[in-house]
Amino acid sequence: GNSVTQMEGPVTLSEEAFLTINCTYTATGYPSLFWYVQYPGEGLQLLLKATKADDKGSNKGFEATYRKETTSFHLEKGSVQVSDSAVYFCALTLNTGGFKTIFGAGTRLFVKA
Amino acid sequence: GAVVSQHPSRVICKSGTSVKIECRSLDFQATTMFWYRQFPKKSLMLMATSNEGSKATYEQGVEKDKFLINHASLTLSTLTVTSAHPEDSSFYICSAREGGFVNQPQHFGDGTRLSIL
């Protein structure tokens, strides 16, 4: 079936460290891929997206590349800040009826000053 | 950008009460809205897809008589938790997709924390 698997957290980093959060997916057809971020007590916000193979989504220093050959969409940032502490969700939207979105379990990131 | 407003942000009520949660798309029309439930430190579980002018589509295992969804206009969907009990306590989040294409992201409300005593 369709699914999203992302690395378990929590991930704890020091400020200015390099961040990678792995995400792999299983899907029929050609889904669109997204990263969403959730700050404490809030809903989700779109961080970035990619809609086809080899597309790179980027926003606020975060990047992720749609790798069809490895069915992956890993999130990276070169230098994290304390304000990046949040839960990050990898997600895919199927291009079939209903356009459902399937979310990964989420990865909690703590950034220490 | 597109904004989804969800109200109320927090509800505390007694067991047996029915609770209504509103989800509004403020600057775009949403023919489809989604309702999710999120357990502590867990991912989002899709409960139902709300379609304007027609019946909602519920996911397997979600009681449609317990979680009533109404999508009466292109900017408003409501979720009513009927005769709520403590096990219904959770964080409920709505979302709406602007446009009908798969490559468009969902815009999320800030969520409603429901606590049933």
Side-chain angles (χ1 to χ4, degrees):
Chain A
N2 303 299
S3 66
V4 175
T5 302
Q6 59 182 106
M7 61 189 290
E8 287 190 30
V11 174
T12 302
L13 296 174
S14 297
E15 208 165 22
E16 298 184 2
F18 185 85
L19 168 71
T20 300
I21 300 178
N22 290 336
C23 171
T24 58
Y25 68 91
T26 303
T28 53
Y30 299 94
S32 291
L33 303 176
F34 304 86
W35 276 100
Y36 290 89
V37 58
Q38 185 179 30
Y39 297 101
E42 298 182 8
L44 275 69
Q45 302 173 27
L46 175 68
L47 181 59
L48 53 83
K49 70 174 185 179
T51 59
K52 61 182 188 297
D54 300 326
D55 264 5
K56 177 186 282 187
S58 61
N59 185 27
K60 298 180 181 179
F62 291 89
E63 292 183 341
T65 301
Y66 191 144
R67 300 287 187 199
K68 197 171 188 306
E69 65 276 14
T70 54
T71 61
S72 64
F73 193 54
H74 305 321
L75 181 68
E76 296 182 338
K77 186 174 185 183
S79 176
V80 293
Q81 306 299 313
V82 172
S83 57
D84 293 327
S85 298
V87 181
Y88 292 82
F89 292 93
C90 185
L92 66 84
T93 298
L94 302 168
N95 59 352
T96 54
F99 295 156
K100 289 183 185 179
T101 296
I102 297 171
F103 289 86
T107 302
R108 185 173 296 275
L109 171 66
F110 292 105
V111 180
K112 303 180 297 182
Chain B
V3 177
V4 171
S5 174
Q6 188 173 339
H7 179 80
S9 58
R10 187 176 182 96
V11 179
I12 302 172
C13 57
K14 294 181 180 180
S15 184
T17 306
S18 291
V19 178
K20 179 184 284 189
I21 303 170
E22 292 186 347
C23 182
R24 293 180 185 273
S25 57
L26 295 187
D27 49 2
F28 66 99
Q29 293 183 333
T31 54
T32 304
M33 291 184 174
F34 304 90
W35 287 96
Y36 295 88
R37 183 171 178 175
Q38 185 178 30
F39 294 96
K41 299 184 179 180
K42 298 291 185 184
S43 189
L44 283 74
M45 179 191 79
L46 179 64
M47 298 174 65
T49 302
S50 168
N51 304 296
E52 188 268 335
S54 65
K55 292 182 179 180
T57 304
Y58 290 82
E59 295 300 302
Q60 192 172 11
V62 177
E63 299 176 59
K64 60 179 68 175
D65 294 331
K66 174 75 171 177
F67 298 99
L68 299 178
I69 291 173
N70 183 277
H71 195 154
S73 77
L74 287 171
T75 58
L76 174 64
S77 176
T78 60
L79 168 68
T80 301
V81 183
T82 60
S83 186
H85 289 95
E87 58 267 27
D88 299 322
S89 298
S90 194
F91 193 55
Y92 294 87
I93 303 176
C94 72
S95 74
R97 180 178 290 122
E98 186 176 11
F101 300 102
V102 64
N103 60 1
Q104 294 187 311
Q106 294 182 49
H107 303 285
F108 289 83
D110 281 342
T112 297
R113 185 160 303 283
L114 176 62
S115 300
I116 307 298
L117 306 177

